[in-house]
Amino acid sequence: MLNAREFSHRLLQEVITPASTVIDATAGNGHDTLFLARLVPAGRVYAFDIQAAAIEQTRQRLARHALAWPAEPAAPVTLIHDSHARLDRHLPADEAVCAAIFNLGYLPGSNKSVITQGESTWRAVESIQARLRPGGRIAIVAYHGHDGGADEMALLQRRLAALDARQWQVLQYQFINQPNCPPVCFGISKKAPERG
């Protein structure tokens, strides 16, 4: 069976096309940014992180895989050192998004007190929802075993469960018999408008 991260990638692979615009809302060490960049050679990736170290680690990972930024104006990845809650400040107003991914928690190997926060994460989710194409998806992998993680996950569970089922499909994927708080993957899919 797939773990939460693998499952999140599978969810997005099903809808992303080579010319898609996609978002890595938590660049971290750059694994998801690289995954997305490989899927959209004719598209655009916007990768956000509030920590400068994460942006630098992501830049280095891309450079090691010949997706250096900024190599040229047409490079497929834009790295943004800012909170994902402010993504509307960085994307063109009319930019439609096909897919987005979040990995919630803290940057591995860094200060564990710098964590994602439920309210700012939810603001980012709402901003992406407003831009999401019909059939587009958001994958959120919530690591919740650290201080503050359970609160963020509980907030997401409440708000995702309350989304209008006529417009959104939401799933929760998690192993339930593993120790040490295994991560949870939330999948959000925007339904196509019903034809009257």
Side-chain angles (χ1 to χ4, degrees):
M1 286 195 277
L2 302 176
N3 63 34
R5 182 172 168 268
E6 293 165 341
F7 185 73
S8 71
H9 286 190
R10 178 72 59 85
L11 285 176
L12 300 188
Q13 282 176 301
E14 291 177 352
V15 299
I16 291 173
T17 65
S20 294
T21 295
V22 296
I23 295 172
D24 182 354
T26 51
N29 288 316
H31 295 284
D32 288 332
T33 306
L34 178 60
F35 161 75
L36 293 172
R38 287 176 165 160
L39 293 178
V40 294
R44 170 68 58 191
V45 180
Y46 294 95
F48 291 81
D49 210 288
I50 201 165
Q51 296 184 75
I55 293 296
E56 178 57 21
Q57 288 173 31
T58 298
R59 186 196 66 74
Q60 290 178 16
R61 183 171 302 281
L62 294 174
R64 286 194 303 272
H65 291 86
L67 291 168
W69 180 89
E72 56 183 279
V77 180
T78 301
L79 299 175
I80 301 164
H81 179 207
D82 199 358
S83 170
H84 50 220
R86 293 190 286 269
L87 69 87
D88 284 330
R89 297 182 184 181
H90 300 280
L91 274 66
D94 61 348
E95 185 92 59
V97 173
C98 175
I101 192 164
F102 293 74
N103 270 282
L104 305 180
Y106 56 85
L107 178 64
S110 72
N111 182 349
K112 293 182 181 181
S113 69
V114 180
I115 61 172
T116 54
Q117 303 288 330
E119 288 296 340
S120 61
T121 296
W122 187 251
R123 283 196 300 277
V125 169
E126 289 182 316
S127 292
I128 294 167
Q129 284 180 294
R131 295 172 174 273
L132 203 61
R133 294 182 181 279
R137 291 182 181 165
I138 303 169
I140 304 171
V141 179
Y143 295 86
H144 55 99
H146 58 281
D147 288 344
D151 293 337
E152 182 175 38
M153 191 173 79
L155 181 148
L156 286 171
Q157 285 173 316
R158 286 194 310 273
R159 295 190 180 171
L160 291 173
L163 289 177
D164 187 342
R166 293 168 297 182
Q167 296 178 304
W168 303 98
Q169 291 179 310
V170 183
L171 66 79
Q172 180 173 322
Y173 177 90
Q174 176 186 30
F175 289 108
I176 59 174
N177 68 336
Q178 294 183 354
N180 303 320
C181 299
V184 177
C185 178
F186 298 103
I188 308 161
S189 182
K190 184 173 186 176
K191 291 184 175 182
E194 293 183 6
R195 296 184 180 181

